[in-house]
Amino acid sequence: NSLNICNEYAMRDCRVRVFDKPNGGVSSARNLGLDNAMGEYIMFIDADDRLVPNALEMFLPYTPDYDFVRMNVMVLNADGSTQKLHLVATQNKKEAMDLSISNSIIVGPISALFRRSLFEDHNIRFDTKLQIGEDWIVSTQLLYYAKSFIFLPEKVAYIYDKSNEASCTNNLSFAKGIQHYYALQKLEELVAEEREQYDKAFHHTKAYIARVLWLMTDRREMIEWFKVQPNVKELLSFKDILLSNYSLGKKHRLFRCLCKIHMARLRK
């Protein structure tokens, strides 16, 4: 009865507006919200998560000065334990972009408040063709275009429920894994004019993609995917993996990963 409950609140308070649509995925729903938003600021909350009490009040003191305010996230695990996500206190654009490109901080749009003009002025929307990585793209775009931002790791505003076994991140697959690659291409396009200064971050992420692909598929499936990629050499190279500071685990894991990529290329 969620729709009925929402409609009831809309009848009580004219500030509440309800939009009902067929299920088209999280990106489609977020885009509908963006298309109909009227306020000065935007905040996203996923269906299985929640805000801490007074979360909006925590953000308000920062809104006059910043286009993008991010606070920390408390993860609720399946066993009931909790932990904070890693978030660096920074207002330095280069440092924050490095962290975002390398997936080293919170990369989704959660636990954050954005000035709505960022979305409108730069035509930013979520890619409905992606099941994973679409929030990484948007969050990095917003950071890139923000004139002012602040990360506040000491303040927790959001509870991320990791116990939901049906969530996308708990059901990764090879098909979803390669979507990190398409997301990475979008980020390279975003910073094309300053690409060289983000080399280390991209090396790191490409090594991460290599590990994801290796963990999610057998050699045959990887080879078939590589065959249809026009620029696979730019996607995963020995240089990217070896120059990254991303840990693939024990040394034999890195060796096996490199061998698998090399074998796939030989069959291309």
Side-chain angles (χ1 to χ4, degrees), residues 49-225:
D49 301 335
R50 61 183 184 271
L51 297 175
V52 302
N54 302 320
L56 291 174
E57 188 176 357
M58 291 168 58
F59 280 98
L60 282 177
Y62 302 95
T63 53
D65 301 319
Y66 300 101
D67 294 335
F68 180 158
V69 182
R70 187 183 291 286
M71 295 186 185
N72 215 333
V73 173
M74 186 67 72
V75 177
L76 176 62
N77 297 311
D79 61 3
S81 63
T82 59
Q83 65 189 78
K84 283 185 182 180
L85 289 184
H86 179 65
L87 182 64
V88 176
T90 184
Q91 292 177 257
N92 180 280
K93 180 67 70 72
K94 171 63 167 61
E95 179 184 23
M97 284 293 293
D98 273 329
L99 292 169
S100 190
I101 291 170
S102 62
N103 262 275
S104 299
I105 55 169
I106 306 166
V107 295
I110 61 173
S111 198
L113 196 69
F114 310 102
R115 202 177 297 276
R116 185 166 64 92
S117 58
L118 287 175
F119 291 91
E120 306 310 319
D121 293 347
H122 304 286
N123 195 27
I124 296 174
R125 291 295 186 270
F126 293 87
D127 190 333
T128 57
K129 298 188 294 296
L130 297 180
Q131 293 177 286
I132 198 165
E134 79 294 338
D135 49 359
W136 178 28
I137 298 171
V138 167
S139 184
T140 309
Q141 287 175 325
L142 292 168
L143 177 60
Y144 181 78
Y145 289 116
K147 294 179 180 178
S148 56
F149 73 95
I150 188 170
F151 292 170
L152 301 165
E154 73 281 1
K155 296 181 181 291
V156 174
Y158 194 94
I159 309 296
Y160 171 58
D161 191 345
K162 200 176 179 180
S163 63
N164 180 11
E165 295 182 356
S167 70
C168 185
T169 51
N170 285 338
N171 290 274
L172 293 176
S173 63
F174 178 72
K176 291 177 184 176
I178 64 172
Q179 289 186 14
H180 283 289
Y181 161 51
Y182 298 112
L184 186 66
Q185 285 184 312
K186 293 294 185 181
L187 297 187
E188 288 192 294
E189 293 171 7
L190 176 68
V191 300
E193 294 182 3
E194 311 101 7
R195 175 63 177 78
E196 289 186 4
Q197 67 175 303
Y198 297 114
D199 269 353
K200 289 184 179 179
F202 280 106
H203 287 320
H204 176 101
T205 308
K206 289 182 179 183
Y208 166 77
I209 293 175
R211 181 175 184 271
V212 168
L213 295 178
W214 172 63
L215 290 174
M216 291 184 179
T217 186
D218 58 27
R219 181 167 58 87
R220 182 176 302 174
E221 191 174 12
M222 180 178 274
I223 290 170
E224 291 305 312
W225 177 67

Side-chain angles (χ1 to χ4, degrees), residues 2-3 5-21 29 31-42 116 120:
S2 299
L3 180 58
I5 294 170
C6 291
N7 284 330
E8 182 181 339
Y9 274 96
M11 292 176 64
R12 294 182 192 176
D13 192 325
C14 63
R15 295 172 299 177
V16 178
R17 293 183 297 147
V18 180
F19 299 92
D20 184 26
K21 67 182 292 297
N31 288 342
L32 178 70
L34 288 170
D35 291 342
N36 288 277
M38 299 169 61
E40 188 176 353
Y41 301 98
I42 295 287
R116 185 166 64 92
E120 306 310 319

